[in-house]
Amino acid sequence: MPMDDRKRRVLRAIVTLYGADGEPVGSGLLAEHFAHAVSSATLRNEMAALTKLGLLEQPHTSAGRVPSAKGYRYYIDNLLGAPAQLSAQDRRLAQQMFREMDYDPERLAQSAAKALADWTGYTAVATTPRSEDMCIAHYEVMQVGRYTAAVLAVTNAGGVTTRTAKMDFPLKAGDAAKLAGVLNECLTFRRAPDVTGADIQQAAARMGEHSVTYYPVFSAAYTLLKEAGKPSVYLEGEQNFLNYAGAEQNFRTLMEFFADTEAVKRVVSQKSERTTIILGDDMEDYPMPGFCIMSKRYVAGGGSTGAIGLVGPTRMRYTELIPKLEYFALLLGQCMSGRPGGQNRE
């Protein structure tokens, strides 16, 4: 049975109407949507045909129809079209949100996810930038206790991370500055895969005959280097899950999925330049019928990329949310690159 233009229009209308109030759509409501240009009898026939194609479902015998997972997939792939432009008022509102954020990459990603969740009423997820060429641009070492030093690392993308190192002997005056100097000479602007254990030992040897004493500092610095290219994942607005019909049956799976950082990165950080929409019905490892994850990549400084997305019911209002998500991704990338979101051109 072919999908002619009228069937496409009927499916698009049912997705829109069901997304608005979550109630099954009957032929009467559908006729009103089309301003009675198509009779209820004809619409019932089209709905029956779409049901036979597996694109619609009928929850109860006397109820109207709702889109099936297959129907949503067809709608997303064939009927969604280009998203509408975000209004000037919404752009200004988003820019104001970003002006108030801390521009450290870790805090910025988390703040952006929280702001997007608050703005849309859905759960939001964001990852920090990832790049194969991520490295440490600068180290600092600070004594924070008699036997403890804090190693601070600044990545070439502007991120700042710290790690503490505990030693068996107290630090002497000038040790912290000397350690920082050796780290900056030996470990900056080098990719983690290019640094070996022997490299770390050689760097530590530059501290002199008692180099083994300072090895915990070099170990901490190496750990920061290895972690520099690994994106963090932030989930905000989890309480919004409670507002979704059917959340109870998926809540455990949702929490298990978001606890699996690698799985989240695979799903959210798609390589497509377009907004991607993954249906929970299609997720083999973490099936979540009735849910979907919509995400958009952003480009940060140095060509590194991250992603920001929304998690919610499959019936979420795509045409309204995609422009907000895409504009947030644009501003997030600009801020990660050191350009304040408020400076974005209209």
Side-chain angles (χ1 to χ4, degrees), residues 78 109 114 117 230 268 280 285 290 339:
N78 301 282
K114 185 178 187 308
K230 296 180 180 179
V268 174
D285 295 335
R339 290 179 291 151

Side-chain angles (χ1 to χ4, degrees), residues 147-308:
Y147 297 91
T148 307
V151 183
L152 180 148
V154 182
T155 70
N156 57 338
V160 179
T161 55
T162 60
R163 195 173 184 89
T164 57
K166 294 187 180 296
M167 289 163 287
D168 295 329
F169 299 94
L171 286 169
K172 301 189 297 294
D175 279 353
K178 186 176 180 180
L179 284 163
V182 172
L183 291 175
N184 285 313
E185 288 180 20
C186 300
L187 295 181
T188 53
F189 297 104
R190 298 181 65 182
R191 295 169 62 250
D194 299 331
V195 178
T196 66
D199 293 328
I200 301 300
Q201 291 177 350
Q202 290 174 9
R206 298 183 61 173
M207 291 299 296
E209 59 180 329
H210 300 296
S211 59
V212 67
T213 303
Y214 305 103
Y215 196 79
V217 171
F218 290 90
S219 178
Y222 182 50
T223 299
L224 290 173
L225 175 59
K226 289 191 294 183
E227 293 176 348
K230 296 180 180 179
S232 301
V233 176
Y234 295 102
L235 184 69
E236 295 290 335
E238 300 98 316
Q239 70 278 5
N240 292 329
F241 283 139
L242 302 177
N243 299 327
Y244 312 152
E248 301 83 2
Q249 66 187 43
N250 289 303
F251 192 78
R252 181 184 181 124
T253 306
L254 280 162
M255 292 300 98
E256 289 176 348
F257 169 68
F258 282 106
D260 187 344
T261 303
E262 291 302 316
V264 175
K265 287 185 287 190
R266 284 196 303 272
V267 171
V268 174
S269 301
Q270 299 289 314
K271 293 186 177 180
S272 173
E273 296 299 322
R274 301 178 58 187
T275 295
T276 59
I277 302 173
I278 306 295
L279 299 183
D281 299 76
D282 298 331
M283 296 173 61
E284 295 182 1
D285 295 335
Y286 297 94
M288 294 179 278
F291 274 72
C292 74
I293 300 174
M294 179 167 60
S295 62
K296 181 72 170 71
R297 278 207 316 166
Y298 66 84
V299 179
S304 57
T305 61
I308 186 166

